[in-house]
Amino acid sequence: MTVLSPRPDLWTLDPGVLHLNHGSYGAVPRRTQDLMAALRVEMDANPMVWFRTVADRLTTSRLALAAFLETDPAGFALVPNASAGVTVALATLPIPAGSRIVLTDHTYGAVRYAAERFAKARQAEIVIVHIPLEADDDTVVSLIAEHLDNASALIVDQITSGTAKVLPVDALVEAAHAHGVPIVVDGAHAPALIDAPAAAGADFWTGNFHKWPAAPRATAGLVVAERWRTATMPLIVSWSEYDERMPERFDMQGTYDYVPWIAAPESLRVLADLDWPTRRPQLTALVEEGARIVAKSLGTGVAEVVHPPTTMRLVELPSSVDLSGGDALKMRISRELKAEITFTGFEDRKFIRLSAHAYNSVADYQKLSEGLSRVLA
């Protein structure tokens, strides 16, 4: 297999910093940033003309993003982020008093808070299913299925944010529907890592383009199954609220900044130029090697919780490391090692979550490992 070289030239990232946390905020390619700058100049040169043309531009962008996901464009809407997509789904689903909203203990914090808000408002119950970190697919499905009686919604991650674990979404969709339960899939990390991620038959699927597709931040998609499209409404009531068509009613949200949504397809073209189908498995191999390098320097190991498509890995931290002041520790690592990483935890275990994208190389992880033990001590 041809090994593709890193392409730091495509980005405006500070070359003096080890950027090893793409999974949080992503990074926008230089070409996309240039396009955004040009669009903003155009917008402010004549705002009236800009807002008269936004709808057509959004349609073009939305169709390109839906094609990238290989999903039905008639059910694909633009939203600011996956958390917003989950909130739209919860606002749409009937959640009667006394019913259950089922989550797992890997659920992203903001999504859990959204579920708790709706459960409180509807007098429903939140059920958190424990999924062991190394649980196989059959175990995951079995544990969740046990709690689907009297459930009004099941919310699951496609790739968990905190634990970088791939959940068996296809099997979970089947299990949920067998119990007559609508399923909401939080695919925040799935675009560009899982092929056709929204094709799993979920009632609602939502995913971020600002992570692995490297699109501008505040760009995400919501895919709605046909049975829910008439009832699905945007969170902001604006003029488009009264559009009878499902995706279009999400487009125009007043004076929202539409530049990221319009520019997002340029990042998809950058991925194509990077030969993403070839590069992605190489990035998987890169982050695996990088994680082993860092784990060796710490005298620990790499958690066995992921599947091949992903480009995130968990490196176990020594039990002596105190993460009670996690933000302060991350800032110290940023300041002293010029490295951007993130910490996470599950049960009593503590981890560094490492990422890899096209601007990374093995040398990045080697440099991190050289000073990490000293700082963590």
Side-chain angles (χ1 to χ4, degrees):
M1 180 174 65
T2 301
V3 178
L4 301 173
S5 60
R7 292 295 307 275
D9 57 298
L10 295 177
W11 318 82
T12 59
L13 292 165
D14 185 343
V17 175
L18 304 176
H19 297 278
L20 300 173
N21 188 24
H22 190 96
S24 285
Y25 299 110
V28 183
R30 189 185 307 273
R31 276 168 41 187
T32 307
Q33 292 185 44
D34 290 345
L35 175 58
M36 292 171 68
L39 288 170
R40 288 203 165 95
V41 168
E42 180 185 345
M43 173 174 59
D44 288 314
N46 191 332
M48 295 298 295
V49 170
W50 170 262
F51 281 100
R52 283 200 296 268
T53 64
V54 159
D56 288 342
R57 296 177 194 235
L58 288 174
T59 297
T60 300
S61 179
R62 178 162 38 75
L63 292 174
L65 295 173
F68 180 78
L69 296 178
E70 301 180 40
T71 193
D72 179 8
F76 175 80
L78 292 167
V79 291
N81 49 55
S83 297
V86 171
T87 305
V88 169
L90 287 169
T92 305
L93 291 171
I95 302 173
S99 67
R100 297 172 154 192
I101 301 175
V102 180
L103 315 172
T104 78
D105 51 359
H106 298 257
T107 298
Y108 187 62
V111 170
R112 177 172 175 171
Y113 295 154
E116 289 174 349
R117 177 197 288 184
F118 279 89
K120 183 178 180 180
R122 308 282 177 84
Q123 299 179 20
E125 176 189 2
I126 292 290
V127 175
I128 308 293
V129 181
H130 172 59
I131 304 295
L133 199 56
E134 287 88 358
D136 61 23
D137 288 354
D138 290 342
T139 301
V140 171
V141 175
S142 176
L143 289 171
I144 291 175
E146 291 176 7
H147 298 273
L148 292 179
D149 290 340
N150 194 37
S152 53
L154 168 63
I155 305 175
V156 295
D157 298 81
Q158 202 159 16
I159 302 173
T160 63
S161 179
T163 50
K165 183 177 179 65
V166 178
L167 298 186
V169 167
D170 289 352
L172 289 170
V173 168
E174 184 177 346
H177 289 171
H179 285 78
V181 177
I183 180 170
V184 180
V185 176
D186 177 0
H189 288 270
L193 292 189
I194 294 178
D195 294 331
D203 295 83
F204 296 86
W205 175 96
T206 184
N208 292 322
F209 288 95
H210 78 260
K211 293 182 184 289
W212 308 104
R217 283 165 284 278
T219 304
L222 173 66
V223 176
V224 181
E226 188 170 0
R227 64 174 292 205
W228 300 108
R229 290 175 189 173
T230 300
T232 303
M233 298 292 171
L235 298 177
I236 298 172
V237 179
S238 189
W239 294 104
S240 60
E241 176 83 7
Y242 298 97
D243 196 315
E244 295 180 357
R245 298 163 297 177
M246 154 60 202
E248 286 82 357
R249 70 169 69 108
F250 278 77
D251 285 352
M252 296 298 294
Q253 302 288 300
T255 51
Y256 185 80
D257 180 8
Y258 301 103
V259 165
W261 290 2
I262 294 169
E266 184 63 26
S267 288
L268 303 185
R269 289 187 280 272
V270 172
L271 287 193
D273 292 346
L274 284 167
D275 190 6
W276 190 249
T278 301
R279 189 172 295 269
R280 185 177 68 187
Q282 294 184 3
L283 293 177
T284 297
L286 172 62
V287 76
E288 286 175 347
E289 182 177 358
R292 286 193 295 268
I293 290 170
V294 175
K296 183 178 180 180
S297 73
L298 297 177
T300 60
V302 181
E304 297 294 331
V305 297
V306 292
H307 295 308
T310 62
T311 53
M312 295 187 294
R313 291 293 182 272
L314 298 184
V315 174
E316 195 119 21
L317 288 168
S319 58
S320 59
V321 174
D322 181 10
L323 291 184
S324 59
D327 286 343
L329 184 55
K330 282 189 286 187
M331 290 175 65
R332 186 181 170 202
I333 290 171
S334 175
R335 183 177 64 253
E336 296 186 17
L337 302 183
K338 303 297 182 185
E340 296 298 336
I341 62 173
T342 193
F343 297 111
T344 186
F346 190 77
E347 297 177 322
D348 295 326
R349 300 166 70 181
K350 294 167 285 190
F351 305 97
I352 297 172
R353 192 193 71 185
L354 296 174
S355 300
H357 211 283
Y359 47 80
N360 291 124
S361 68
V362 172
D364 295 337
Y365 306 94
Q366 291 171 334
K367 290 177 183 177
L368 175 67
S369 69
E370 290 167 3
L372 194 55
S373 296
R374 172 181 56 80
V375 175
L376 291 178

